[in-house]
């Protein structure tokens, strides 16, 4: 059974402030469970960031994290508890789920010639929480942990924002390429559908309704105003999207102008996308 352990206290917990947590190094970190108190819910979290060795690995707001959790079939936040997973979720094999847990240490006496030996291990793992207009907020966290493991493949969440000016197709061709993609999350209430082209080959084309139907028949729970391109929507942990091509292009079929937030979940090493 994995450990569930209280983390050190956050520094700087206050309204309109940034709270920081330094996660102890040594174990493998699978998830964090935040406990919020006072008049402070996920809606007051303007942004959560996770940094490894000072490099940003994860970013989103509290509201966005709660919606993403619900899409993956996790419990809705009750206003006091919020879960942040470093693993992939809802897949058929344990290896596929746990491959992205954050290893912050290596077993003692590990052979330096082992393919798992990491000469540049993670030495710092920090969480930053930007708290908005909450009243008398309190914040703590517990981590779900297992024993030491080397830093391997990470699940890295990146945010990109676009502003289509009106109805019609809106092309996005500047998403970073290189690491494979686990999911593309598109937040918009003006989206009819999405297409994806790779090297001028149409790899994906669905309306919003079609996408919801297909994913509801799989292992996901579609959410309002969220369109997800999810190769593992049927629970197959070996499915992902290759981005290392010459041309990688999203085409959004917009019903009207909107500000669209897109999150891309990359699978790769610390120094990748």
């Amino acid at each position: 059974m994995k450990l569930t352990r209280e983390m050190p206290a956050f520094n700087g917990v206050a309204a309109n402030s940034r709270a920081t947590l330094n996660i102890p190094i040594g174990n493998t970190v699978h998830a964090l469970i935040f406990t919020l108190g006072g008049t402070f819910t996920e809606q007051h979290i303007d942004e959560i960031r996770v940094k490894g060795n000072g490099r940003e690995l994860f970013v989103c707001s509290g509201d966005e994290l709660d919606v993403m959790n619900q899409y993956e079939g996790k419990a809705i936040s009750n206003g006091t508890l919020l879960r942040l997973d470093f693993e992939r979720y809802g897949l058929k094999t344990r290896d596929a789920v746990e491959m992205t847990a954050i290893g912050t240490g290596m077993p003692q006496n590990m052979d330096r010639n082992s393919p798992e030996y990491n000469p540049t291990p993670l030495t710092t793992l920090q969480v930053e929480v930007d708290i908005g207009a909450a009243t008398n907020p309190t914040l703590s966290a517990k981590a779900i942990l297992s024993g030491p493991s080397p830093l391997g493949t990470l699940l890295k969440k990146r945010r990109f924002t676009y502003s289509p000016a009106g109805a019609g197709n809106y092309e996005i061709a500047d998403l970073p390429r290189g690491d494979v993609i686990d999911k593309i999350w598109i937040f918009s209430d003006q989206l009819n559908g999405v297409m994806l082209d790779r090297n001028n080959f149409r790899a994906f084309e669905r309306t919003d309704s079609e996408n919801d139907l297909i994913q509801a028949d799989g292992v996901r729970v579609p959410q309002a105003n969220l369109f997800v391109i999810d190769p593992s929507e049927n629970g197959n942990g070996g499915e992902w999207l290759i981005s290392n091509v010459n041309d990688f292009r999203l085409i959004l079929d917009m019903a009207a102008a909107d500000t669209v937030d897109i999150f891309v979940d990359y699978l790769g090493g610390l120094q990748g996308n």
Side-chain angles (χ1 to χ4, degrees), residues 14-215:
N16 302 307
S17 183
R18 176 171 298 169
T20 59
L21 165 66
N22 293 306
I23 297 175
I25 296 300
N27 289 304
T28 300
V29 186
H30 296 262
L32 293 173
I33 310 297
F34 299 110
T35 299
L36 290 64
T39 307
F40 177 35
T41 72
E42 72 281 353
Q43 297 177 5
H44 297 106
I45 298 177
D46 295 333
E47 197 161 87
I48 301 172
R49 288 175 301 280
V50 179
K51 295 181 177 180
N53 288 0
R55 181 176 173 82
E56 188 173 278
L57 305 178
F58 179 103
V59 61
C60 70
S61 72
D63 263 349
E64 289 161 340
L65 177 58
D66 189 35
V67 171
M68 293 181 197
N69 283 347
Q70 291 176 65
Y71 166 81
E72 291 188 325
K74 302 168 194 171
I76 185 172
S77 172
N78 62 4
T80 60
L81 294 171
L82 181 64
R83 179 183 181 117
L84 191 164
D85 269 297
F86 299 119
E87 298 179 336
R88 303 164 79 201
Y89 191 83
L91 305 181
K92 293 176 182 176
T93 67
R94 178 174 177 176
D95 286 346
V97 170
E98 296 187 357
M99 66 179 282
T100 57
I102 300 179
T104 68
M106 287 180 280
Q108 289 185 347
N109 303 319
M110 186 175 206
D111 185 354
R112 287 177 175 266
N113 295 316
S114 166
E116 292 187 344
Y117 182 81
N118 183 3
T120 55
L122 205 64
T123 57
T124 65
L125 184 59
Q126 187 177 67
V127 180
E128 298 177 344
V129 179
D130 290 348
I131 302 171
T135 303
N136 299 320
T138 63
L139 178 63
S140 62
K142 290 184 178 178
I144 298 175
L145 307 168
S146 60
S149 67
L151 182 67
T153 300
L154 296 168
L155 178 62
K156 300 170 288 186
K157 190 178 297 292
R158 309 290 193 218
R159 182 204 298 270
F160 308 93
T161 301
Y162 298 91
S163 299
N169 286 349
Y170 181 83
E171 294 195 3
I172 298 170
D174 60 351
L175 293 174
R177 304 190 300 275
D179 286 341
V180 299
I181 292 174
D182 186 60
K183 293 183 187 68
I184 301 175
W185 311 79
I186 306 169
F187 284 83
S188 173
D189 62 359
Q190 299 295 333
L191 195 58
N192 295 322
V194 177
M195 294 164 277
L196 171 64
D197 289 352
R198 295 185 303 168
N199 288 345
N200 297 314
F201 176 81
R202 181 62 46 86
F204 180 96
E205 183 174 8
R206 292 181 190 171
T207 66
D208 183 55
S209 297
E210 290 168 344
N211 204 46
D212 284 354
L213 178 109
I214 291 167
Q215 291 175 344

Side-chain angles (χ1 to χ4, degrees), residues 255-271:
D258 196 15
T259 298
V260 179
D261 283 321
I262 295 179
F263 294 85
V264 183
D265 287 357
Y266 291 101
L267 301 176
L270 181 64
Q271 299 303 320

Side-chain angles (χ1 to χ4, degrees), residues 71 90 92 211-222 230 232-236:
Y71 166 81
K92 293 176 182 176
N211 204 46
D212 284 354
L213 178 109
I214 291 167
Q215 291 175 344
D217 284 340
V219 296
R220 304 307 186 193
V221 184
D230 183 358
S232 61
E233 61 197 7
N234 290 314
N236 184 351

Side-chain angles (χ1 to χ4, degrees), residues 234-245:
N234 290 314
N236 184 351
E239 296 284 346
W240 44 64
L241 189 60
I242 302 297
S243 72
N244 191 18
V245 294

